[in-house]
Amino acid sequence: MNRTPIQLAATLVGLTFLVAGVAGFIPGITTNASDIALYGHESPAMLLGLFQVSVLHNIIHLVFGVAGLVMAKSAAKTYLVGGGLIYLVTWLYGTAIGPATDLNFVPLNDADNWLHLALGAGMAAVGLALGKAPAHEA
């Protein structure tokens, strides 16, 4: 398969989200995985002992992963830039509401917020930078 750099980037980002979504359910990789909450800031589950997760949070990662794989072929720039903007909004939301409130339904802790800032900025930057390159002929 002959993929453009932006298609490869979207595929790699999608695979990364899939790995994170699955890992969020695996005991040992996720502390307190057996007590994971469906949603909410009281979930004790911590991916890599650092990122607070819930079933909802993991499902969101899985959906972003599948979207990346599906969109990589025909809408890679849209996935990277649009997904990046979604993660930047998620960062703003997480920092604005704080970790111990009912509005924190995903849940998001400080480590999640910083990761979302980096993901959002990185995805959007890669999408914009690689989106300027000429596409290969199919």
Side-chain angles (χ1 to χ4, degrees), residues 26-38:
I26 299 175
I29 296 173
T30 299
T31 57
N32 301 312
S34 61
D35 296 324
I36 193 169
L38 182 60

Side-chain angles (χ1 to χ4, degrees), residues 101-124:
T101 172
D102 287 340
L103 294 174
N104 188 10
F105 61 93
V106 172
L108 307 167
N109 65 8
D110 287 339
D112 288 305
N113 291 333
W114 286 110
L115 179 61
H116 293 152
L117 173 61
L119 282 171
M123 287 174 69

Side-chain angles (χ1 to χ4, degrees), residues 1-5 7-8 72-73 135-138:
M1 296 185 88
N2 200 11
R3 292 187 180 220
T4 64
Q7 290 172 323
L8 288 173
K73 185 169 182 173
H136 291 128
E137 292 288 323

